Amino acid sequence: MKFITVDTYAELSRKAANIIAAQIISKPYCLLGLATGSTPIGTYDNLTKMYEEGDLDFSTVTSVNLDEYIGLDGSNDQSYRWFMNHHLFDRVNIDKAKTFVPGGTVADLAAEGAAYDARIKELGGIDLQLLGIGLDGHIGFNEPDTFFTGETHVVDLHPSTIEANARFFNDISEVPTKAITMGMAAIMQAKKVLLVANGPKKKEIVEKAFFGPITPEVPASILQLHPDLTIIFSEQE
Ligand code: GLP
């Protein structure tokens, strides 16, 4: 595990973008695992800038996102599909047909999960997985539980997650209570994992996850078993 502490969010975002750019440059036909949440926004801004300046080409990149809210389709501006289009896909030359986000409005969510995992396998597995971390230690939407789940599955969001994500909605009652998320198998099988955590409010959970016991009660702690894990933590928000 490589634990990098930086002072500012700007530095976190630059460093994370440089690692992702290095991945794309060294393997142009790569599969990137991408994340939502407020933390990766600066990383996506830096990647966009590299593209605009002609230093990065996304035309051969394929991506798979971690998760999606149940009940929101891509035209809803709170959906994670919309988030990805807005913060990255519409700003660079990635082929949208090669960007995948689990479907939150499909009738058969179990089949959707199985198909998502099969697709990742078919694509040869994830080369680099970007992750944020929730205040309760969730990655993707893998919430604290008594066991780790391997496959892409539907979860009930924890009250603390609903509360934390309510800031993006008009009212807490609008926050979906369920999500579909990639499970631990695809994340742990990624060749490299890069986790970004921003500011003092994430300090305690980062310490628990990476310097405490490995337990499904702190889902991110499973990453301690990953052979190529980089964490970038910024002291200031
Ligand atoms: C959501 C996402 C996670 C993300 C988390 C933290 O719950 N599903 O993937 O890591 O938010 O978000 P933030 O970076 O805004 O703290």
Side-chain angles (χ1 to χ4, degrees), residues 35-40 66-67 80 132-134 138-141 161 165 167-168 202:
T36 55
S38 51
T39 313
L66 284 165
D67 47 11
Y80 284 168
I133 184 168
H138 71 244
I139 49 177
F141 267 135
T161 301
N165 289 351
R167 67 188 194 276
F168 300 113
K202 292 285 172 74

Side-chain angles (χ1 to χ4, degrees), residues 44 59 69 77 100 105 118 151 153 168 173 192 194 205-206 213 222 226 237:
Y44 296 148
S59 64
Y69 287 116
D77 64 3
F100 299 99
T105 54
E151 52 297 333
H153 60 292
F168 300 113
S173 63
K192 301 182 197 74
L194 170 61
I205 192 62
V206 163
I222 197 173
H226 196 282
E237 218 171 313

Side-chain angles (χ1 to χ4, degrees), residues 5 9 43 45 47 51 70 97 104 121 123-124 168 175 205 236:
T5 304
Y9 177 64
T43 305
D45 288 343
L47 288 170
Y51 162 71
I70 300 298
K121 217 173 247 169
L123 289 165
F168 300 113
V175 187
I205 192 62
Q236 299 155 31

